[in-house]
Amino acid sequence: MNGINKDPFACKLACHLVKAQFGDICETTCCCLLDRGMLSAFDLVRSTGFKPSQLHSALLVLIQHNFVNCYLETEEANPRRPPVSQTLYEADLPAILQNLRKPSLLVHIRDESSGPAVAGEEADQGLSAGEVNEALMKMLLEQGRLNLDQVIAAAAQNLEQPVDEARELLQRHFLGLVQKRYIERAPGCHEPPPVPFQHRKGNRKTAPKPGTAEEARHQAQQAKALARAEYEKERFKLPSSLMQAAREDGAGPEPPKKKRRMGGSTATGPVKEEDATEKVVLWRVNRDEFNKRLRHAACIDMVQQKNGPDAAAILRAMLHATQSYETESKAPQSKSVSQDEVISFVRELEAIDPDYHPPDSVPDVLRELSDDALQPVSYTGEGPGGSTYCVNMAAIIRHKRLLETDAVIRQRFGVHGLRLFRLLYLHRQLEQKQIAEQAMLPPKDAKELVYRLYRAGFVSLQDIPRTTDHAPSRTLYTWRVEIDAAADKLASELYKAALNVCLRLDFEYQRQKDILDLVNKGMAQAVQRTHGAQLQKFQQTLIHLDSALLRLDSQIAVFNDF
C-alpha cells in the first residue's frame, strides 16, 4: 500500500471521501478493494453484487481519478494450457487520502511560482506564472488523468482565456512542471502487479536451483521488476511535438550539461523526448514529488524553530541543491554536498529570491548544525570543495513527531502526564516505584497517570520473569515508551478526527440544505434579508471546520507521508 498501513479509520475516511465525490457504487467498490486487497473484476462482481456494467463504470471513474490501480497478471503456462492473463484492481489508499491535501498543493505550487512570469506574454494577458501553474495543477487534481490537449483546454477555460491564444503559454508552463517532476505520465493497465515483500530466512542469499518451481517464481519476479522499470524510464518523457514547439519558441530545455558532482548520479536525469511514433499520453499529478517538497518545508520550519533563521537558510540551500538527487519521497538522508557547493547555492537562492537572507558565515553555521544534539546536518568527510555534509531528514521528522506527540499528551493529561512520558522516553524503562520517585509525584497520582497513558496507547508494559513459571509474584514489571507505537496510535486518532470533521461538514450542509437551495436558485438577496444571521453563522462554521481539516491533514502528513 505504498508505505501506509491500512488503519481502520484511514479506510473509513477514504470510503467517505469517495462517497462524497462519486456516490454509493464507487464507495462500495472502493471499500471492497480496501477490505480484500487486489481483486479481479469477477471477484468484485461477486463481492459487491453489482451488475458488470455498473462495476465497469465505477472502476473507470476510480481509475480516471487515480484512486484505483490496474495491473495485468499473466499466469505461467504449463503443458496442459497456455498462459492466462487477467486484470487485477487495487485501491490506492494514499492517493485517496491525498484529496484532503489539494488546497495545500495548490498553495505550494502558486507560492513556488510566484514572481515574474516566464515571458512577456503572461503580463500582456494579465496572468502571473503562479496563476498559470495553479490552473494546470488544479485541472489535473480535479479531473485525474488527462492528455495534453485536455489539460490545456481545461486550464484555458479556468483562466478565462481563448484556447488558441493561451496554448503556447500553457505548453511552456506544462513543460516546466514536468521538468520539476510535479506532473508525470499515468501508468498503463498492462503493468504487472507489484512484488510483495518477503522476509528472507537469514542473511545468506542463494540462487534457486535450476528447473525448480522456485527458479520459475524468481524469473517471473525479475520479469515484473523489468516491466516496472520500463515505466520509470518513461515516467517523465515528453512528447516530441511539445519539445519541438518549445524549442522553436526558445523556452525548451537546453542540451544537458555536465552537473556538479554530488556524490552520485542524478536520480531524475534530463527529460527525454518521445520518439516519432508517439501515442496519446495521459498525465497526472505526481503526489510523491509534492510530499517530498512539503517534507522539505517541514524540515526547514523545524530547524528554524529550534536553531534559528540562519540555520534554516542553510538547510534550505542544501535541500535545494540535492532535491533532484532524491530517489524516494521518504529518503532518510540527502546526498552529501560540499561546503563550497553550499555557498554557491546560497548565492543562487539569494539572487532569485529577494526574501532569502543567508547568514554571514556559512561554514560556522554548518559546524553548529553538525554539532547540535539533534544533528539536522551530519559531517560526512572531506572533499575537493572542503568539508561535506548531508541533511538528516529522518531525524528532523522524528523530532517533529515527538513534539507533536508531546503537545497531544500535555493537552490530554496535563503537565504531569507529559513529565511521565518524557521520563520514560529518556530512561527507556522504569519500574512503578522509580517513576514516582524520579517524577517527584505522589505514588498514587503517578500510578493513575501511567495507567491512563497505557490505556491511551502511549506507554507499554514489559514483564521480566525471574523464573520459568512466569509467576506474577516473581516477575518484574517495567513501563516503557515505544515512540513508533505511540506515533501509530496518534496517527490513527488523527484519521478518526479528520473523519469526524468530514461528517460534521456533511451534517452542517444537510441542516442548511433548504437555505442553500434557495441561494442556488438565485434568491440570495431574499435569503440574506430573512436568514442573514443564520447564513453568516453557517459560513463561519464552515471556515472553522475547513481550517481544522487542513491542520489535521498537515499532522497526518507528518506521521504518515513524511
Side-chain angles (χ1 to χ4, degrees), residues 37-76:
M38 203 178 297
L39 295 175
S40 64
F42 176 77
D43 293 332
L44 274 173
V45 170
R46 187 172 55 181
S47 301
T48 59
F50 295 141
K51 297 179 181 179
S53 59
Q54 291 177 323
L55 183 65
H56 179 73
S57 301
L59 287 174
L60 284 179
V61 171
L62 293 173
I63 293 173
Q64 168 68 24
H65 288 80
N66 305 303
F67 289 173
V68 167
N69 296 327
C70 185
Y71 306 108
L72 182 64
E73 184 181 48
T74 302
E75 298 181 2
E76 301 177 6

Side-chain angles (χ1 to χ4, degrees), residues 439-456:
M440 295 182 291
L441 291 174
K444 182 179 179 181
D445 296 343
K447 184 176 181 180
E448 181 182 353
L449 275 175
V450 168
Y451 274 94
R452 287 175 60 194
L453 289 168
Y454 175 69
R455 184 172 58 183

Side-chain angles (χ1 to χ4, degrees), residues 283-300:
W283 302 91
R284 68 175 185 179
V285 173
N286 181 13
R287 61 179 181 84
D288 291 336
E289 184 66 24
F290 271 107
N291 287 336
K292 186 175 72 174
R293 301 295 180 94
L294 294 176
R295 187 186 189 216
H296 289 177
C299 291
I300 295 171

Side-chain angles (χ1 to χ4, degrees), residues 8 25 35 79 128 149 186 256 313 334 357 520 534 552:
I25 296 180
D35 291 340
S128 65
D149 292 336
S334 68
H357 303 292
N520 293 331
Q534 185 177 356
L552 286 170

Side-chain angles (χ1 to χ4, degrees), residues 506-556:
D506 291 347
F507 171 76
E508 292 294 336
Y509 275 110
Q510 189 66 28
R511 188 166 65 170
Q512 307 295 338
K513 183 180 178 181
D514 296 338
I515 297 178
L516 294 177
D517 290 341
L518 294 176
V519 173
N520 293 331
K521 292 178 181 179
M523 303 172 62
Q525 294 182 354
V527 171
Q528 188 67 32
R529 288 193 302 268
T530 56
H531 302 84
Q534 185 177 356
L535 190 60
Q536 184 177 3
K537 183 180 178 180
F538 171 66
Q539 291 174 348
Q540 292 179 353
T541 302
L542 292 185
I543 292 174
H544 290 313
L545 292 176
D546 288 336
S547 301
L549 198 58
L550 288 176
R551 289 195 299 270
L552 286 170
D553 178 68
S554 64
Q555 293 178 325
I556 287 172

Side-chain angles (χ1 to χ4, degrees), residues 309-310 313 316 350 353-359:
D310 291 345
R316 179 184 171 187
E350 190 177 10
D353 188 358
D355 297 329
Y356 181 74
H357 303 292

Side-chain angles (χ1 to χ4, degrees), residues 394-504:
I396 299 173
I397 294 300
R398 193 182 308 117
H399 184 68
K400 189 174 181 63
R401 289 174 182 168
L402 179 61
L403 293 182
E404 295 283 354
T405 307
D406 287 349
V408 172
I409 291 176
R410 179 167 183 166
Q411 184 179 7
R412 286 194 194 175
F413 307 101
V415 179
H416 293 165
L418 177 60
R419 186 190 303 174
L420 293 183
F421 179 81
R422 274 292 190 171
L423 184 67
L424 291 173
Y425 176 73
L426 293 175
H427 289 78
R428 304 297 180 186
Q429 57 183 4
L430 293 172
E431 296 182 56
Q432 184 68 54
K433 185 183 296 185
Q434 294 173 326
I435 294 174
E437 292 176 355
Q438 297 192 25
M440 295 182 291
L441 291 174
K444 182 179 179 181
D445 296 343
K447 184 176 181 180
E448 181 182 353
L449 275 175
V450 168
Y451 274 94
R452 287 175 60 194
L453 289 168
Y454 175 69
R455 184 172 58 183
F458 292 109
V459 300
S460 59
L461 184 64
Q462 176 71 42
D463 59 325
I464 306 174
R466 298 176 181 175
T467 58
T468 57
D469 58 354
H470 292 265
S473 60
R474 292 182 293 274
T475 300
L476 184 66
Y477 295 95
T478 60
W479 296 96
R480 61 191 300 176
V481 168
E482 296 179 1
I483 194 63
D484 292 336
D488 292 340
K489 174 66 176 177
L490 187 55
S492 178
E493 293 183 0
L494 288 172
Y495 283 124
K496 182 180 180 181
L499 176 61
N500 289 336
V501 173
C502 290
L503 293 175
R504 177 62 186 272

Side-chain angles (χ1 to χ4, degrees), residues 1-11 13-14 34 90-98 101 287-288 291 329-330 401 488 491-492 495 553 556-557 559-562:
M1 292 304 300
N2 300 331
I4 189 171
N5 296 324
K6 279 190 175 182
D7 182 82
F9 291 110
C11 294
L13 176 60
L34 288 173
E90 180 187 29
D92 194 343
L93 181 58
I96 300 174
L97 297 176
Q98 191 90 348
R101 211 161 298 156
R287 61 179 181 84
D288 291 336
N291 287 336
S329 60
K330 295 183 180 181
R401 289 174 182 168
D488 292 340
S492 178
Y495 283 124
D553 178 68
I556 287 172
F559 283 93
N560 290 283
D561 298 322
F562 294 169

